């Protein structure tokens, strides 16, 4: 037990009629952690969050928060509070009464109540908005009120269901930073649901990638990007070049792999791989270098032809077709292309330490 | 026990849902289903005398119903009149609903409120005002005579099936306008633009796009008008005369002066059966038609 | 593309006249100084209104109608409110079936319900009167109330109720602090409209009330006698004006504060 298992989700499944929304999920979340559930729509992340909130009850499995089993406890009796995707600000009462809403149930003096409401408003930088109504607030302001309304309850866990999804890009990026700072200062455990991988990566301590009701990998963001454990995660997080491959032999952590069009190489594996696994190898665009002439300093060098380039401000993406590989390889570079352009012949160099062996399932 | 109840209510949506639905379902069962069932049973009984009913089960009341020509005639006439009412109401309100849905830009709600407002004012008074409009010494006749257009009152205006159809088409208009408007208003305008773009004329667009898409409203209007009007009592009584008499007037007298509950019940059962039958056919045909059209 | 269509506009205006003229005739003739409803109009008078005010049988019928209407509207709105919550907030097994069953009294010919209730009521050896009328009116009004309330409940965000639960309210507190204030306009509209329906309802009352007359039955009784007619017209005019006002208020109520007020919130009625 202890702080590492502040939230303990054990073998939780949820079925809606025929559909399995959450499929035998087990994961522990530490106290004070900013934990994200990331996945495409319909992957079960929102259902899992609603199970934590107490809006859905698991068909199988257990949930405990701070060492007490909450599996059968309804939402109103749980030490969790939620920020809804559309904020769910009560339209018939003003901001102050919205924030007070949950405090009415706690037996506290009216001075303390006012104090806590003021503190909460200060925390989200909306002092002076007490008498406004929901329809007089902008999307960003509603989001802050929803946050204040939940945090004023001093929950053990704050649940956030895609709270930034409805904001425009610039405001969203501001709020990401603000939310992260807020979480650090209050020290409450955040469970954050999003389909936006960038958002999950920039904010979280750890990210759980979900697909089809299952958690595929739980890792800190950087690890998720650098060492994807399976094809879905590798493909979902950032861009990646995937090459068909076969395992030739395994010797402990050293795995000999025959990579389509590149040849046979011995690589380090980062997950447990057995002889029978179907694998691909993956290379991130930033790990491929391009030059107009051959060099001898790299592990792998292949010849190709540039098919397309696209310019993204600080980075340029280059697509290079290589004989024997169906899809052009994608690489990104921060430097100028030194006279290379579409249809130029070029050489790509890849270091063996940047090649990942990724299981197909 | 308390914990068990809490678990039962919070974990099982169906238990909560049916707890909330139970008053409505109990009402329907006690005040509608069981009386209808009892009426069905009564239709197999026999009225022996004023106060006495023989409860031996028999099909004689249905034999009575079919052996005397008046009952089938009235039933058939009720269905015919309802059918005409439905048809007339649909044909007259469709252009109106179409106009509000597609041409009225501002204050659509106002139009809808104005078109449905008369429906809320007393049904009895609306039917009654048709009696005074169409009557022998009524508004139309007196106005025409006053203006010198006719010398004698027109006697065909009132006490006819036409008068019943006209009055009912007026009384039930709101029930056609609303479903028609709702289904027409829902149609995505870009579908119509697509149809023009693909070379359809306005007329073709109407028949191939607008009308098929408005069919849910049409079916709704048909069912909501046809079924209740078959059993209308007030209108035939006030403006129908002998020619416009319907089965419900007969049912009323069987439960009233004639005091033959079993035969009255049998007539009501026959009405309910034929109404359901026609409603099923209408839904079936409209579905077929809409399938063919699309 | 849909800018103007004069043919349809003219048609609509004519239809509009067809709808309203019969209704307007009654108030017009209620001020006419003559017993028969014939043209030309004779002269202006208030005497029919005076006669109406002084009819004691009318008073009694009016009180009966108000009693039945109040009880029927409160019960049917309450029953429908619970049902509307079930239909909009929970996945109900046999959803279609129960929904259809509750809406059925709305389409079944009233006369059939009326005679079926007579059979049941007299079969149980009970006296006909205002009680079976009220029960029948509750049955008949509930579908209307349900449609009104469902359209409102669908219009507001389910998350609001969940938010209240999440903030520590139990089901009861959530209902009173969130759901009820938000559906209140529709609840009032439902009360008003079901009152109007019950107040105007004739067939069920005619069959089930025996000697306790409601207002429509009183009018029905008076319609046969030409001499009594003018004060029925006066009564009719008052009823038309009052019900129209109530209906307009309830339409307005159903649209204010509705988050989805851009949609035409007429919910089938």
């Amino acid at each position: 037990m202890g702080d590492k298992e502040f939230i303990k989700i054990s073998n939780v499944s949820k079925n809606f009629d025929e559909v399995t929304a959450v499929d035998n999920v087990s994961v522990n979340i530490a106290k004070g952690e900013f934990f994200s559930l990331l996945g495409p729509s319909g992957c079960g992340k929102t259902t899992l969050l609603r199970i934590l909130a107490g809006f859905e009850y698991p068909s199988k499995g257990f949930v405990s928060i701070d060492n007490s089993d909450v599996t059968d406890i309804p939402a109103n009796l749980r030490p969790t509070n939620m920020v809804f995707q559309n904020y769910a600000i009560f339209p018939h009462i003003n901001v102050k009464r919205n924030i007070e809403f949950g405090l009415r149930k706690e037996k506290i003096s009216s001075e303390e109540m006012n104090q806590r409401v003021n503190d909460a408003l200060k925390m989200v930088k909306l002092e002076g908005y007490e008498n406004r109504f929901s329809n007089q607030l902008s999307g960003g302001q509603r989001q802050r009120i929803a946050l204040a309304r939940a945090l004023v309850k001093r929950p053990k866990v704050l649940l956030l269901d895609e709270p930034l999804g409805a904001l425009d890009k610039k405001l969203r990026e501001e709020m990401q930073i603000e939310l992260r700072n807020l979480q650090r200062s209050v020290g409450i455990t955040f469970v954050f649901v999003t389909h936006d991988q960038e958002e999950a990566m920039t904010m979280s301590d750890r990210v759980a990638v979900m697909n089809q009701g299952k958690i595929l990998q739980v890792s800190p963001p950087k690890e998720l990007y650098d060492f994807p454990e399976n094809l879905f995660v590798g493909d979902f997080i950032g861009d990646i070049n995937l090459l068909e491959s076969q395992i030739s032999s395994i010797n402990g952590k050293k795995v000999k792999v025959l990579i389509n069009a590149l040849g046979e190489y011995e690589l380090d594996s980062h997950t447990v791989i057995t002889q029978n696994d179907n694998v691909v190898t993956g290379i991130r665009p930033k790990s491929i270098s391009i030059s107009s002439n051959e060099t001898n300093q790299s592990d792998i060098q292949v010849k190709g032809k540039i098919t397309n380039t696209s310019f993204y401000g600080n980075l340029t993406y280059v697509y290079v077709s290589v004989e024997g590989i169906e899809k052009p390889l994608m690489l990104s570079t921060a430097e100028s292309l030194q006279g290379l352009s579409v249809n130029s012949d070029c050489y790509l160099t890849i270091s063996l330490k940047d090649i990942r062996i990724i299981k197909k399932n | 026990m308390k914990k068990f109840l809490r678990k039962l209510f919070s974990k099982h949506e169906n238990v909560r849902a049916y707890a909330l639905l139970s008053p409505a379902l109990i009402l329907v069962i006690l005040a509608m289903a069981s009386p209808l069932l009892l009426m069905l049973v009564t239709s197999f009984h026999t009225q022996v005398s004023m106060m006495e009913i023989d409860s031996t089960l028999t099909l004689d009341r249905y034999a009575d119903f079919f052996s005397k020509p008046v009952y089938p005639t009235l039933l058939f006439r009720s269905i015919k009149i309802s059918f005409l009412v439905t048809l007339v109401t649909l044909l007259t309100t469709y252009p109106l609903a179409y106009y509000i849905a597609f041409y009225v830009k501002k204050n659509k709600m106002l139009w809808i409120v104005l078109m449905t407002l008369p429906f809320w004012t007393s049904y009895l008074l609306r039917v009654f005002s048709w009696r005074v409009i169409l009557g022998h010494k009524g508004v139309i006749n007196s106005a025409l005579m006053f203006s010198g257009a006719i010398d004698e009152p027109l006697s065909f205006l009132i006490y006819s099936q036409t008068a019943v159809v006209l009055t009912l088409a007026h009384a039930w208009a709101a029930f056609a306008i609303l479903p028609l408007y709702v289904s027409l208003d829902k149609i995505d305008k870009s579908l119509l633009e697509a149809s023009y773009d693909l070379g359809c004329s306005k007329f073709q667009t109407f028949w191939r796009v607008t009308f098929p898409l408005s069919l849910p409203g049409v079916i709704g209007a048909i069912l909501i008008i046809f079924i209740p009007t078959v059993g209308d009592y007030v209108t035939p009584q006030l403006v129908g005369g002998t020619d416009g008499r319907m089965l419900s007037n007969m049912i009323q007298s069987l439960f009233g002066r004639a005091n033959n509950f079993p035969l009255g019940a049998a007539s009501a059962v026959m009405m309910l059966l034929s109404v359901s039958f026609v409603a099923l056919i209408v839904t079936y045909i409209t579905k077929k038609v809409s399938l063919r059209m699309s | 593309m849909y800018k103007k269509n004069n043919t349809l506009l003219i048609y609509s205006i004519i239809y509009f006249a067809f709808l309203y003229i019969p209704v307007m005739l009654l108030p017009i003739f209620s001020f006419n100084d003559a017993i028969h409803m014939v043209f030309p109009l004779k002269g202006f008078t208030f005497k029919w209104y005076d006669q109406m005010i002084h009819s004691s049988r009318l008073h009694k019928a009016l009180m009966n109608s108000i009693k039945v209407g109040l009880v029927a509207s409160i019960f049917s709105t309450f029953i429908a409110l619970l049902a509307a919550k079930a239909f909009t907030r929970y996945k109900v097994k046999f959803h279609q079936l129960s929904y259809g069953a509750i809406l059925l009294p709305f389409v079944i010919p009233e006369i059939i319900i009326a005679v079926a209730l007579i059979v049941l009521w007299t079969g149980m050896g009970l006296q006909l009167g205002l009680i079976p009328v009220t029960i029948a009116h509750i049955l008949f009004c509930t579908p209307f109330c349900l449609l009104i309330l469902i359209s409102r409940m669908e219009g507001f965000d389910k998350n609001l109720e969940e938010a209240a639960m999440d903030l520590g309210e139990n089901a009861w507190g959530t209902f009173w602090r969130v759901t009820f204030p938000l559906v209140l306009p529709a609840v009032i509209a439902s009360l008003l409209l079901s009152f109007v329906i019950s107040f105007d309802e004739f067939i069920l009352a005619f069959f089930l009330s025996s000697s306790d007359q409601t207002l429509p039955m009183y009018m029905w009784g008076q319609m046969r006698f030409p001499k009594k007619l003018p004060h029925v017209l006066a009564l009719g005019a008052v009823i038309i004006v009052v019900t129209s006002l109530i209906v307009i208020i309830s339409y307005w109520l159903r649209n204010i504060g509705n988050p989805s007020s851009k949609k035409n919130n007429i919910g089938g009625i």
Side-chain angles (χ1 to χ4, degrees), chain B residues 237-288:
Chain B
Q237 194 74 15
L238 283 183
V239 302
T242 16
D243 180 44
R245 215 168 126 79
M246 285 162 67
L247 186 60
S248 42
N249 308 94
M250 182 61 106
I251 293 177
Q252 193 273 328
S253 71
L254 286 169
F255 277 91
R257 232 171 303 153
N259 194 34
N260 190 341
F261 277 30
L263 186 55
S267 310
V269 169
M270 285 313 298
M271 180 189 278
L272 200 53
L273 280 181
S274 39
V275 156
S276 321
F277 182 66
V278 175
L280 279 178
I281 291 180
V282 168
T283 335
Y284 180 77
I285 291 177
T286 342
K287 276 205 180 126
K288 278 274 139 133

Side-chain angles (χ1 to χ4, degrees), chain C residues 20 50 66 77 83 85-87 90 112 141 143 152 159 165 180 184 236 246 250 253 259:
Chain C
Y20 274 84
D50 192 57
I66 289 177
T77 299
K85 171 140 169 106
F87 284 127
Y90 300 118
I112 291 182
C141 290
R152 178 73 180 200
N159 280 345
M165 298 285 278
F180 189 73
L184 186 62
I246 294 180
S250 54
L253 276 172

Side-chain angles (χ1 to χ4, degrees), chain A residues 50 55 76 81-82 84 86 88-90 92 101-102 104-105 149 153, chain C residues 91 157 159-160 162-170 177-178 181-182:
Chain A
R50 289 170 60 81
F55 296 134
N76 52 327
N81 284 111
M82 179 134 155
F84 290 83
N86 57 3
I89 307 295
F90 303 120
H92 60 297
F101 194 96
R104 291 282 185 88
K105 280 264 139 175
R149 185 178 67 181
K153 290 274 291 172
Chain C
K91 265 190 238 136
D157 182 7
N159 280 345
L160 293 173
E162 288 188 344
M165 298 285 278
D166 186 64
L167 292 167
E169 270 301 349
N170 53 27
R177 290 182 69 189
V178 176
L182 287 172

Side-chain angles (χ1 to χ4, degrees), chain A residues 342-361:
Chain A
V342 174
N343 286 332
S344 306
D345 286 330
C346 63
Y347 291 90
L348 304 179
T349 53
I350 304 158
S351 155
L352 281 182
K353 69 174 173 37
D354 292 328
I355 304 180
R356 301 282 170 261
I357 306 170
I358 301 171
K359 280 193 261 189
K360 273 190 180 172
N361 39 18

